[in-house]
Amino acid sequence: MEKEKKIILFDGVCNLCNSTVQFAIKRDKNDIFRYAALQSATGKKLLAERNIDPNAIDSIILIEPNIAYYTKSTAALEIGKHLKGLHVISSILLWLPESFRNIVYDLIAKNRYKWFGKKDACMIPTDELRGKFI
């Protein structure tokens, strides 16, 4: 049932973010995740439901089936815990202090367009992947 899926909100115009979503889809062997761009109507609705200012977010967000959510490095590592080949390292890295992890995360987030590029519009999923996007 879709209500039981974890939702990954991502920057739909960021090349790094889009590549990360493709990476996650390939390794999500248990079909745990659904995806939505932060810029989409669904993304904006999910942010509003959680009182998250969309202008203050430049982060990946993982939304649990209830109202709980994770941002930045915690979101990335919580996602990794469910992906084939990343679950052990993600679980270990979650033991590091969040403030330390987010220094690295924020450095990458701040430079993601410069280092990886940016699209003019959000990615459009293929017919094969359309069911994974909300």
Side-chain angles (χ1 to χ4, degrees):
M1 180 178 215
E2 292 298 313
K3 291 181 180 180
E4 297 171 4
K5 302 294 182 185
K6 297 174 186 276
I7 301 169
I8 298 174
L9 296 180
F10 65 99
D11 180 348
V13 297
C14 167
N15 287 338
L16 173 62
C17 304
N18 281 292
S19 294
T20 301
V21 165
Q22 294 297 324
F23 179 89
I25 289 170
K26 289 178 186 172
R27 286 159 185 79
D28 182 15
K29 299 301 180 193
N30 295 319
D31 194 35
I32 292 171
F33 300 109
R34 292 297 177 261
Y35 308 86
L38 287 164
Q39 298 88 342
S40 70
T42 299
K44 291 175 184 176
K45 176 181 178 261
L46 291 167
L47 291 174
E49 289 173 356
R50 286 153 186 81
N51 295 316
I52 302 170
D53 179 1
N55 298 316
I57 290 294
D58 68 347
S59 171
I60 192 166
I61 298 175
L62 173 62
I63 298 175
E64 294 287 341
N66 54 37
I67 201 78
Y69 65 91
Y70 302 100
T71 62
K72 297 189 178 195
S73 67
T74 303
L77 293 172
E78 287 289 337
I79 292 164
K81 282 180 19 180
H82 299 284
L83 300 179
K84 184 178 179 191
L86 292 179
H87 58 280
V88 173
I89 189 73
S90 294
S91 296
I92 292 169
L93 290 174
L94 276 166
W95 285 81
L96 293 173
E98 185 176 32
S99 58
F100 173 75
R101 295 189 326 253
N102 282 343
I103 290 171
V104 175
Y105 185 94
D106 288 340
L107 175 68
I108 295 168
K110 179 181 175 186
N111 292 291
R112 69 187 185 274
Y113 295 146
K114 182 170 40 170
W115 294 345
F116 301 98
K118 180 179 178 181
K119 298 181 182 314
D120 292 329
C122 293
M123 84 175 216
I124 298 172
T126 63
D127 289 341
E128 177 185 343
L129 297 178
R130 189 157 291 138
K132 295 208 175 269
F133 288 80
I134 55 172

